[in-house]
């Protein structure tokens, strides 16, 4: 599965919002301080709003929707994504998607990949530059809200885009990397200029995390 250390299992109590530990589902802290990406173009205000309002909001809704369903409270997010539809799926998937997204970025990220993900990208697209062009086009061209993913499937790597809360886990694909293209991910910093946000996102990409998902 996805590396547990990176997916928020290790708490960092020195920053970020506290969550109510009596709730079955909690919002993991960011894996870095709120100001970590500001020099890359993604502001502290954006991370606070996106994490503390949007990400935490999905967790709150998920707890409310499962409040009288102990059999669902006992499941992992991955199990809920695989088995549920409607509001419970949406909130479980958005909780998982956001945690994965935060880990796809780092204050020391950006640049070109190395290791297994580099080799797999070059095998599929011929070069990192061609992959970057294709992934950027998918992000900029995605209509409405959603996510663009680099996934690992039976035939190697592929770029897929999903609408709203949809997650590749639902269709048995393994996420390697994602870019959130919901407008709330970038509106504070870039207004409606999604291409500028995607450019900033590339400056943050955590290739170490991507390699752990190969």
């Amino acid at each position: 599965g996805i590396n547990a250390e990176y997916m928020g299992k290790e708490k960092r109590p020195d920053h970020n919002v506290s969550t109510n530990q009596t709730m079955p589902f909690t919002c993991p802290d960011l894996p870095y301080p709120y100001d970590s990406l500001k020099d890359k173009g993604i502001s502290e205000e954006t991370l606070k709003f996106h994490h503390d309002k949007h990400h935490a909001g999905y967790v709150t809704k998920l707890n409310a929707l499962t409040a009288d369903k102990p059999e669902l409270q006992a499941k992992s997010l991955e199990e809920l994504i695989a088995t549920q539809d409607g509001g419970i799926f949406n909130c479980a998937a958005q909780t998982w998607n956001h945690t994965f997204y935060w880990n796809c970025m780092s204050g020391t990220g950006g640049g070109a990949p190395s290791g297994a993900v580099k080799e797999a990208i070059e095998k599929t697209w011929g070069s990192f530059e061609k992959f970057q062009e294709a992934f950027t086009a998918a992000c900029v061209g995605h209509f409405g809200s959603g996510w663009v993913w680099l996934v690992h499937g039976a035939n190697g790597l592929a770029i897929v885009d999903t609408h709203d809360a949809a997650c590749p886990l639902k269709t048995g694909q393994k996420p390697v990397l994602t870019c959130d293209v919901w407008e709330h991910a970038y509106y504070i910093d870039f207004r409606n200029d999604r291409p500028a946000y995607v450019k900033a996102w590339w400056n943050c990409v955590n290739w170490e995390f991507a390699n752990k998902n190969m």
Side-chain angles (χ1 to χ4, degrees), residues 74-106:
K75 292 182 182 294
S76 67
L77 291 173
E78 291 86 351
E79 288 171 329
L80 291 178
I81 290 167
T83 61
Q84 300 300 304
D85 294 297
I88 291 174
F89 167 81
N90 287 338
C91 292
Q94 283 292 79
T95 299
W96 193 95
N97 292 351
H98 278 89
T99 300
F100 189 83
Y101 167 72
W102 302 129
N103 284 288
C104 287
M105 298 185 292
S106 165

PDB file of all heavy atoms in Angstrom, residues 74-106:
ATOM      1  N   ALA A  74     -15.409   1.383  11.499  1.00  0.00           N
ATOM      2  CA  ALA A  74     -14.321   0.433  11.720  1.00  0.00           C
ATOM      3  C   ALA A  74     -13.462   0.229  10.473  1.00  0.00           C
ATOM      4  O   ALA A  74     -12.391  -0.381  10.543  1.00  0.00           O
ATOM      5  CB  ALA A  74     -14.880  -0.907  12.184  1.00  0.00           C
ATOM      6  N   LYS A  75     -13.929   0.729   9.341  1.00  0.00           N
ATOM      7  CA  LYS A  75     -13.196   0.525   8.090  1.00  0.00           C
ATOM      8  C   LYS A  75     -12.134   1.603   7.888  1.00  0.00           C
ATOM      9  O   LYS A  75     -12.234   2.710   8.402  1.00  0.00           O
ATOM     10  CB  LYS A  75     -14.170   0.525   6.900  1.00  0.00           C
ATOM     11  CG  LYS A  75     -15.113  -0.661   6.853  1.00  0.00           C
ATOM     12  CD  LYS A  75     -15.992  -0.603   5.620  1.00  0.00           C
ATOM     13  CE  LYS A  75     -16.981  -1.759   5.567  1.00  0.00           C
ATOM     14  NZ  LYS A  75     -16.301  -3.053   5.401  1.00  0.00           N
ATOM     15  N   SER A  76     -11.126   1.274   7.098  1.00  0.00           N
ATOM     16  CA  SER A  76     -10.127   2.260   6.700  1.00  0.00           C
ATOM     17  C   SER A  76     -10.690   3.119   5.572  1.00  0.00           C
ATOM     18  O   SER A  76     -11.707   2.771   4.943  1.00  0.00           O
ATOM     19  CB  SER A  76      -8.861   1.553   6.210  1.00  0.00           C
ATOM     20  OG  SER A  76      -9.126   0.854   5.004  1.00  0.00           O
ATOM     21  N   LEU A  77     -10.039   4.238   5.310  1.00  0.00           N
ATOM     22  CA  LEU A  77     -10.454   5.076   4.182  1.00  0.00           C
ATOM     23  C   LEU A  77     -10.414   4.292   2.881  1.00  0.00           C
ATOM     24  O   LEU A  77     -11.306   4.400   2.041  1.00  0.00           O
ATOM     25  CB  LEU A  77      -9.557   6.303   4.076  1.00  0.00           C
ATOM     26  CG  LEU A  77      -9.683   7.344   5.186  1.00  0.00           C
ATOM     27  CD1 LEU A  77      -8.605   8.408   5.020  1.00  0.00           C
ATOM     28  CD2 LEU A  77     -11.066   7.984   5.193  1.00  0.00           C
ATOM     29  N   GLU A  78      -9.359   3.476   2.711  1.00  0.00           N
ATOM     30  CA  GLU A  78      -9.221   2.682   1.496  1.00  0.00           C
ATOM     31  C   GLU A  78     -10.395   1.713   1.328  1.00  0.00           C
ATOM     32  O   GLU A  78     -10.899   1.525   0.207  1.00  0.00           O
ATOM     33  CB  GLU A  78      -7.898   1.914   1.505  1.00  0.00           C
ATOM     34  CG  GLU A  78      -6.656   2.771   1.375  1.00  0.00           C
ATOM     35  CD  GLU A  78      -6.140   3.335   2.692  1.00  0.00           C
ATOM     36  OE1 GLU A  78      -6.840   3.210   3.723  1.00  0.00           O
ATOM     37  OE2 GLU A  78      -5.045   3.908   2.695  1.00  0.00           O
ATOM     38  N   GLU A  79     -10.832   1.126   2.440  1.00  0.00           N
ATOM     39  CA  GLU A  79     -11.975   0.200   2.383  1.00  0.00           C
ATOM     40  C   GLU A  79     -13.268   0.937   2.041  1.00  0.00           C
ATOM     41  O   GLU A  79     -14.099   0.434   1.276  1.00  0.00           O
ATOM     42  CB  GLU A  79     -12.114  -0.534   3.717  1.00  0.00           C
ATOM     43  CG  GLU A  79     -11.026  -1.571   3.950  1.00  0.00           C
ATOM     44  CD  GLU A  79     -11.042  -2.124   5.364  1.00  0.00           C
ATOM     45  OE1 GLU A  79     -11.420  -1.400   6.311  1.00  0.00           O
ATOM     46  OE2 GLU A  79     -10.649  -3.297   5.523  1.00  0.00           O
ATOM     47  N   LEU A  80     -13.429   2.146   2.592  1.00  0.00           N
ATOM     48  CA  LEU A  80     -14.625   2.934   2.272  1.00  0.00           C
ATOM     49  C   LEU A  80     -14.628   3.340   0.805  1.00  0.00           C
ATOM     50  O   LEU A  80     -15.662   3.305   0.140  1.00  0.00           O
ATOM     51  CB  LEU A  80     -14.693   4.177   3.165  1.00  0.00           C
ATOM     52  CG  LEU A  80     -14.972   3.939   4.649  1.00  0.00           C
ATOM     53  CD1 LEU A  80     -14.962   5.266   5.397  1.00  0.00           C
ATOM     54  CD2 LEU A  80     -16.298   3.213   4.870  1.00  0.00           C
ATOM     55  N   ILE A  81     -13.466   3.726   0.294  1.00  0.00           N
ATOM     56  CA  ILE A  81     -13.364   4.101  -1.125  1.00  0.00           C
ATOM     57  C   ILE A  81     -13.741   2.925  -2.013  1.00  0.00           C
ATOM     58  O   ILE A  81     -14.438   3.072  -3.022  1.00  0.00           O
ATOM     59  CB  ILE A  81     -11.939   4.606  -1.435  1.00  0.00           C
ATOM     60  CG1 ILE A  81     -11.701   5.964  -0.760  1.00  0.00           C
ATOM     61  CG2 ILE A  81     -11.697   4.702  -2.940  1.00  0.00           C
ATOM     62  CD1 ILE A  81     -10.249   6.405  -0.750  1.00  0.00           C
ATOM     63  N   ALA A  82     -13.304   1.741  -1.641  1.00  0.00           N
ATOM     64  CA  ALA A  82     -13.553   0.549  -2.462  1.00  0.00           C
ATOM     65  C   ALA A  82     -15.011   0.099  -2.418  1.00  0.00           C
ATOM     66  O   ALA A  82     -15.506  -0.475  -3.392  1.00  0.00           O
ATOM     67  CB  ALA A  82     -12.648  -0.588  -2.004  1.00  0.00           C
ATOM     68  N   THR A  83     -15.711   0.371  -1.304  1.00  0.00           N
ATOM     69  CA  THR A  83     -17.025  -0.253  -1.101  1.00  0.00           C
ATOM     70  C   THR A  83     -18.205   0.710  -1.084  1.00  0.00           C
ATOM     71  O   THR A  83     -19.350   0.270  -1.205  1.00  0.00           O
ATOM     72  CB  THR A  83     -17.044  -1.034   0.228  1.00  0.00           C
ATOM     73  OG1 THR A  83     -16.803  -0.119   1.310  1.00  0.00           O
ATOM     74  CG2 THR A  83     -15.994  -2.133   0.234  1.00  0.00           C
ATOM     75  N   GLN A  84     -17.964   2.001  -0.917  1.00  0.00           N
ATOM     76  CA  GLN A  84     -19.066   2.946  -0.721  1.00  0.00           C
ATOM     77  C   GLN A  84     -19.288   3.822  -1.948  1.00  0.00           C
ATOM     78  O   GLN A  84     -18.419   3.949  -2.815  1.00  0.00           O
ATOM     79  CB  GLN A  84     -18.797   3.829   0.499  1.00  0.00           C
ATOM     80  CG  GLN A  84     -18.655   3.058   1.798  1.00  0.00           C
ATOM     81  CD  GLN A  84     -19.897   2.267   2.149  1.00  0.00           C
ATOM     82  OE1 GLN A  84     -20.992   2.822   2.251  1.00  0.00           O
ATOM     83  NE2 GLN A  84     -19.736   0.963   2.321  1.00  0.00           N
ATOM     84  N   ASP A  85     -20.466   4.427  -1.994  1.00  0.00           N
ATOM     85  CA  ASP A  85     -20.812   5.395  -3.030  1.00  0.00           C
ATOM     86  C   ASP A  85     -21.443   6.609  -2.358  1.00  0.00           C
ATOM     87  O   ASP A  85     -21.624   6.636  -1.138  1.00  0.00           O
ATOM     88  CB  ASP A  85     -21.791   4.782  -4.043  1.00  0.00           C
ATOM     89  CG  ASP A  85     -21.158   3.647  -4.839  1.00  0.00           C
ATOM     90  OD1 ASP A  85     -20.188   3.925  -5.564  1.00  0.00           O
ATOM     91  OD2 ASP A  85     -21.626   2.497  -4.720  1.00  0.00           O
ATOM     92  N   GLY A  86     -21.781   7.615  -3.157  1.00  0.00           N
ATOM     93  CA  GLY A  86     -22.482   8.777  -2.621  1.00  0.00           C
ATOM     94  C   GLY A  86     -21.629   9.591  -1.666  1.00  0.00           C
ATOM     95  O   GLY A  86     -20.407   9.673  -1.794  1.00  0.00           O
ATOM     96  N   GLY A  87     -22.289  10.177  -0.666  1.00  0.00           N
ATOM     97  CA  GLY A  87     -21.617  11.098   0.243  1.00  0.00           C
ATOM     98  C   GLY A  87     -20.484  10.475   1.026  1.00  0.00           C
ATOM     99  O   GLY A  87     -19.440  11.113   1.239  1.00  0.00           O
ATOM    100  N   ILE A  88     -20.657   9.234   1.473  1.00  0.00           N
ATOM    101  CA  ILE A  88     -19.598   8.588   2.252  1.00  0.00           C
ATOM    102  C   ILE A  88     -18.369   8.367   1.377  1.00  0.00           C
ATOM    103  O   ILE A  88     -17.232   8.639   1.785  1.00  0.00           O
ATOM    104  CB  ILE A  88     -20.094   7.276   2.882  1.00  0.00           C
ATOM    105  CG1 ILE A  88     -21.122   7.589   3.990  1.00  0.00           C
ATOM    106  CG2 ILE A  88     -18.933   6.446   3.438  1.00  0.00           C
ATOM    107  CD1 ILE A  88     -21.789   6.375   4.589  1.00  0.00           C
ATOM    108  N   PHE A  89     -18.586   7.892   0.146  1.00  0.00           N
ATOM    109  CA  PHE A  89     -17.450   7.750  -0.773  1.00  0.00           C
ATOM    110  C   PHE A  89     -16.778   9.096  -1.008  1.00  0.00           C
ATOM    111  O   PHE A  89     -15.546   9.220  -0.940  1.00  0.00           O
ATOM    112  CB  PHE A  89     -17.887   7.168  -2.118  1.00  0.00           C
ATOM    113  CG  PHE A  89     -16.814   7.295  -3.165  1.00  0.00           C
ATOM    114  CD1 PHE A  89     -15.759   6.396  -3.217  1.00  0.00           C
ATOM    115  CD2 PHE A  89     -16.833   8.347  -4.075  1.00  0.00           C
ATOM    116  CE1 PHE A  89     -14.739   6.535  -4.149  1.00  0.00           C
ATOM    117  CE2 PHE A  89     -15.820   8.488  -5.018  1.00  0.00           C
ATOM    118  CZ  PHE A  89     -14.774   7.582  -5.057  1.00  0.00           C
ATOM    119  N   ASN A  90     -17.570  10.118  -1.306  1.00  0.00           N
ATOM    120  CA  ASN A  90     -17.002  11.429  -1.616  1.00  0.00           C
ATOM    121  C   ASN A  90     -16.114  11.938  -0.487  1.00  0.00           C
ATOM    122  O   ASN A  90     -14.998  12.418  -0.722  1.00  0.00           O
ATOM    123  CB  ASN A  90     -18.111  12.449  -1.895  1.00  0.00           C
ATOM    124  CG  ASN A  90     -18.776  12.223  -3.234  1.00  0.00           C
ATOM    125  OD1 ASN A  90     -18.214  11.607  -4.133  1.00  0.00           O
ATOM    126  ND2 ASN A  90     -20.002  12.716  -3.374  1.00  0.00           N
ATOM    127  N   CYS A  91     -16.600  11.852   0.743  1.00  0.00           N
ATOM    128  CA  CYS A  91     -15.835  12.386   1.872  1.00  0.00           C
ATOM    129  C   CYS A  91     -14.628  11.514   2.215  1.00  0.00           C
ATOM    130  O   CYS A  91     -13.556  12.040   2.559  1.00  0.00           O
ATOM    131  CB  CYS A  91     -16.745  12.555   3.089  1.00  0.00           C
ATOM    132  SG  CYS A  91     -17.985  13.847   2.866  1.00  0.00           S
ATOM    133  N   ALA A  92     -14.775  10.196   2.109  1.00  0.00           N
ATOM    134  CA  ALA A  92     -13.636   9.310   2.356  1.00  0.00           C
ATOM    135  C   ALA A  92     -12.560   9.515   1.295  1.00  0.00           C
ATOM    136  O   ALA A  92     -11.362   9.609   1.610  1.00  0.00           O
ATOM    137  CB  ALA A  92     -14.087   7.852   2.386  1.00  0.00           C
ATOM    138  N   ALA A  93     -12.981   9.598   0.040  1.00  0.00           N
ATOM    139  CA  ALA A  93     -12.013   9.778  -1.047  1.00  0.00           C
ATOM    140  C   ALA A  93     -11.337  11.139  -0.962  1.00  0.00           C
ATOM    141  O   ALA A  93     -10.113  11.237  -1.127  1.00  0.00           O
ATOM    142  CB  ALA A  93     -12.708   9.617  -2.398  1.00  0.00           C
ATOM    143  N   GLN A  94     -12.094  12.176  -0.669  1.00  0.00           N
ATOM    144  CA  GLN A  94     -11.477  13.498  -0.572  1.00  0.00           C
ATOM    145  C   GLN A  94     -10.528  13.589   0.618  1.00  0.00           C
ATOM    146  O   GLN A  94      -9.501  14.269   0.554  1.00  0.00           O
ATOM    147  CB  GLN A  94     -12.550  14.579  -0.484  1.00  0.00           C
ATOM    148  CG  GLN A  94     -13.216  14.906  -1.813  1.00  0.00           C
ATOM    149  CD  GLN A  94     -12.257  15.571  -2.781  1.00  0.00           C
ATOM    150  OE1 GLN A  94     -11.430  14.914  -3.421  1.00  0.00           O
ATOM    151  NE2 GLN A  94     -12.350  16.884  -2.903  1.00  0.00           N
ATOM    152  N   THR A  95     -10.837  12.895   1.711  1.00  0.00           N
ATOM    153  CA  THR A  95      -9.910  12.839   2.838  1.00  0.00           C
ATOM    154  C   THR A  95      -8.615  12.162   2.422  1.00  0.00           C
ATOM    155  O   THR A  95      -7.505  12.666   2.668  1.00  0.00           O
ATOM    156  CB  THR A  95     -10.556  12.094   4.021  1.00  0.00           C
ATOM    157  OG1 THR A  95     -11.735  12.800   4.431  1.00  0.00           O
ATOM    158  CG2 THR A  95      -9.601  11.977   5.196  1.00  0.00           C
ATOM    159  N   TRP A  96      -8.734  11.011   1.754  1.00  0.00           N
ATOM    160  CA  TRP A  96      -7.544  10.264   1.307  1.00  0.00           C
ATOM    161  C   TRP A  96      -6.789  11.044   0.244  1.00  0.00           C
ATOM    162  O   TRP A  96      -5.552  11.173   0.299  1.00  0.00           O
ATOM    163  CB  TRP A  96      -7.961   8.897   0.761  1.00  0.00           C
ATOM    164  CG  TRP A  96      -6.810   7.955   0.580  1.00  0.00           C
ATOM    165  CD1 TRP A  96      -6.377   7.011   1.455  1.00  0.00           C
ATOM    166  CD2 TRP A  96      -5.929   7.880  -0.572  1.00  0.00           C
ATOM    167  NE1 TRP A  96      -5.274   6.350   0.932  1.00  0.00           N
ATOM    168  CE2 TRP A  96      -4.985   6.864  -0.294  1.00  0.00           C
ATOM    169  CE3 TRP A  96      -5.864   8.565  -1.770  1.00  0.00           C
ATOM    170  CZ2 TRP A  96      -3.974   6.527  -1.198  1.00  0.00           C
ATOM    171  CZ3 TRP A  96      -4.850   8.235  -2.670  1.00  0.00           C
ATOM    172  CH2 TRP A  96      -3.927   7.222  -2.377  1.00  0.00           C
ATOM    173  N   ASN A  97      -7.512  11.585  -0.735  1.00  0.00           N
ATOM    174  CA  ASN A  97      -6.872  12.309  -1.835  1.00  0.00           C
ATOM    175  C   ASN A  97      -6.028  13.472  -1.322  1.00  0.00           C
ATOM    176  O   ASN A  97      -4.910  13.702  -1.792  1.00  0.00           O
ATOM    177  CB  ASN A  97      -7.932  12.858  -2.799  1.00  0.00           C
ATOM    178  CG  ASN A  97      -8.674  11.780  -3.562  1.00  0.00           C
ATOM    179  OD1 ASN A  97      -8.316  10.615  -3.530  1.00  0.00           O
ATOM    180  ND2 ASN A  97      -9.751  12.178  -4.236  1.00  0.00           N
ATOM    181  N   HIS A  98      -6.588  14.228  -0.368  1.00  0.00           N
ATOM    182  CA  HIS A  98      -5.854  15.382   0.141  1.00  0.00           C
ATOM    183  C   HIS A  98      -4.615  14.962   0.915  1.00  0.00           C
ATOM    184  O   HIS A  98      -3.552  15.575   0.762  1.00  0.00           O
ATOM    185  CB  HIS A  98      -6.773  16.254   1.011  1.00  0.00           C
ATOM    186  CG  HIS A  98      -7.626  17.181   0.229  1.00  0.00           C
ATOM    187  ND1 HIS A  98      -8.873  16.841  -0.235  1.00  0.00           N
ATOM    188  CD2 HIS A  98      -7.395  18.453  -0.213  1.00  0.00           C
ATOM    189  CE1 HIS A  98      -9.391  17.869  -0.906  1.00  0.00           C
ATOM    190  NE2 HIS A  98      -8.513  18.850  -0.911  1.00  0.00           N
ATOM    191  N   THR A  99      -4.707  13.933   1.742  1.00  0.00           N
ATOM    192  CA  THR A  99      -3.523  13.474   2.471  1.00  0.00           C
ATOM    193  C   THR A  99      -2.437  13.047   1.487  1.00  0.00           C
ATOM    194  O   THR A  99      -1.252  13.370   1.666  1.00  0.00           O
ATOM    195  CB  THR A  99      -3.887  12.304   3.401  1.00  0.00           C
ATOM    196  OG1 THR A  99      -4.869  12.756   4.339  1.00  0.00           O
ATOM    197  CG2 THR A  99      -2.671  11.808   4.166  1.00  0.00           C
ATOM    198  N   PHE A 100      -2.837  12.355   0.427  1.00  0.00           N
ATOM    199  CA  PHE A 100      -1.876  11.929  -0.587  1.00  0.00           C
ATOM    200  C   PHE A 100      -1.269  13.151  -1.279  1.00  0.00           C
ATOM    201  O   PHE A 100      -0.043  13.215  -1.493  1.00  0.00           O
ATOM    202  CB  PHE A 100      -2.582  11.016  -1.597  1.00  0.00           C
ATOM    203  CG  PHE A 100      -1.647  10.343  -2.562  1.00  0.00           C
ATOM    204  CD1 PHE A 100      -0.976   9.178  -2.203  1.00  0.00           C
ATOM    205  CD2 PHE A 100      -1.437  10.859  -3.834  1.00  0.00           C
ATOM    206  CE1 PHE A 100      -0.110   8.553  -3.090  1.00  0.00           C
ATOM    207  CE2 PHE A 100      -0.583  10.245  -4.721  1.00  0.00           C
ATOM    208  CZ  PHE A 100       0.094   9.088  -4.348  1.00  0.00           C
ATOM    209  N   TYR A 101      -2.098  14.122  -1.608  1.00  0.00           N
ATOM    210  CA  TYR A 101      -1.645  15.338  -2.295  1.00  0.00           C
ATOM    211  C   TYR A 101      -0.605  16.092  -1.471  1.00  0.00           C
ATOM    212  O   TYR A 101       0.432  16.523  -1.993  1.00  0.00           O
ATOM    213  CB  TYR A 101      -2.862  16.210  -2.578  1.00  0.00           C
ATOM    214  CG  TYR A 101      -2.606  17.630  -3.000  1.00  0.00           C
ATOM    215  CD1 TYR A 101      -2.097  17.931  -4.270  1.00  0.00           C
ATOM    216  CD2 TYR A 101      -2.918  18.692  -2.150  1.00  0.00           C
ATOM    217  CE1 TYR A 101      -1.898  19.253  -4.667  1.00  0.00           C
ATOM    218  CE2 TYR A 101      -2.727  20.012  -2.542  1.00  0.00           C
ATOM    219  CZ  TYR A 101      -2.213  20.293  -3.792  1.00  0.00           C
ATOM    220  OH  TYR A 101      -2.026  21.596  -4.177  1.00  0.00           O
ATOM    221  N   TRP A 102      -0.862  16.264  -0.170  1.00  0.00           N
ATOM    222  CA  TRP A 102       0.115  16.981   0.662  1.00  0.00           C
ATOM    223  C   TRP A 102       1.476  16.295   0.612  1.00  0.00           C
ATOM    224  O   TRP A 102       2.515  16.948   0.576  1.00  0.00           O
ATOM    225  CB  TRP A 102      -0.355  17.080   2.114  1.00  0.00           C
ATOM    226  CG  TRP A 102      -1.667  17.759   2.324  1.00  0.00           C
ATOM    227  CD1 TRP A 102      -2.734  17.282   3.032  1.00  0.00           C
ATOM    228  CD2 TRP A 102      -2.077  19.046   1.833  1.00  0.00           C
ATOM    229  NE1 TRP A 102      -3.777  18.181   2.998  1.00  0.00           N
ATOM    230  CE2 TRP A 102      -3.400  19.270   2.281  1.00  0.00           C
ATOM    231  CE3 TRP A 102      -1.451  20.016   1.059  1.00  0.00           C
ATOM    232  CZ2 TRP A 102      -4.105  20.432   1.981  1.00  0.00           C
ATOM    233  CZ3 TRP A 102      -2.152  21.172   0.750  1.00  0.00           C
ATOM    234  CH2 TRP A 102      -3.465  21.370   1.208  1.00  0.00           C
ATOM    235  N   ASN A 103       1.462  14.977   0.627  1.00  0.00           N
ATOM    236  CA  ASN A 103       2.720  14.240   0.623  1.00  0.00           C
ATOM    237  C   ASN A 103       3.413  14.254  -0.732  1.00  0.00           C
ATOM    238  O   ASN A 103       4.601  13.933  -0.827  1.00  0.00           O
ATOM    239  CB  ASN A 103       2.467  12.806   1.084  1.00  0.00           C
ATOM    240  CG  ASN A 103       2.269  12.723   2.583  1.00  0.00           C
ATOM    241  OD1 ASN A 103       3.196  12.873   3.354  1.00  0.00           O
ATOM    242  ND2 ASN A 103       1.025  12.534   3.003  1.00  0.00           N
ATOM    243  N   CYS A 104       2.673  14.611  -1.779  1.00  0.00           N
ATOM    244  CA  CYS A 104       3.260  14.739  -3.118  1.00  0.00           C
ATOM    245  C   CYS A 104       4.070  16.018  -3.266  1.00  0.00           C
ATOM    246  O   CYS A 104       4.688  16.237  -4.316  1.00  0.00           O
ATOM    247  CB  CYS A 104       2.170  14.705  -4.178  1.00  0.00           C
ATOM    248  SG  CYS A 104       1.445  13.074  -4.416  1.00  0.00           S
ATOM    249  N   MET A 105       4.067  16.867  -2.237  1.00  0.00           N
ATOM    250  CA  MET A 105       4.803  18.127  -2.293  1.00  0.00           C
ATOM    251  C   MET A 105       5.768  18.216  -1.118  1.00  0.00           C
ATOM    252  O   MET A 105       5.611  17.553  -0.106  1.00  0.00           O
ATOM    253  CB  MET A 105       3.831  19.309  -2.271  1.00  0.00           C
ATOM    254  CG  MET A 105       2.884  19.329  -3.457  1.00  0.00           C
ATOM    255  SD  MET A 105       1.829  20.808  -3.521  1.00  0.00           S
ATOM    256  CE  MET A 105       0.776  20.529  -2.100  1.00  0.00           C
ATOM    257  N   SER A 106       6.779  19.058  -1.290  1.00  0.00           N
ATOM    258  CA  SER A 106       7.789  19.247  -0.253  1.00  0.00           C
ATOM    259  C   SER A 106       8.477  20.579  -0.486  1.00  0.00           C
ATOM    260  O   SER A 106       8.648  21.011  -1.638  1.00  0.00           O
ATOM    261  CB  SER A 106       8.817  18.113  -0.301  1.00  0.00           C
ATOM    262  OG  SER A 106       9.977  18.438   0.438  1.00  0.00           O
TER     263      SER A 106
END
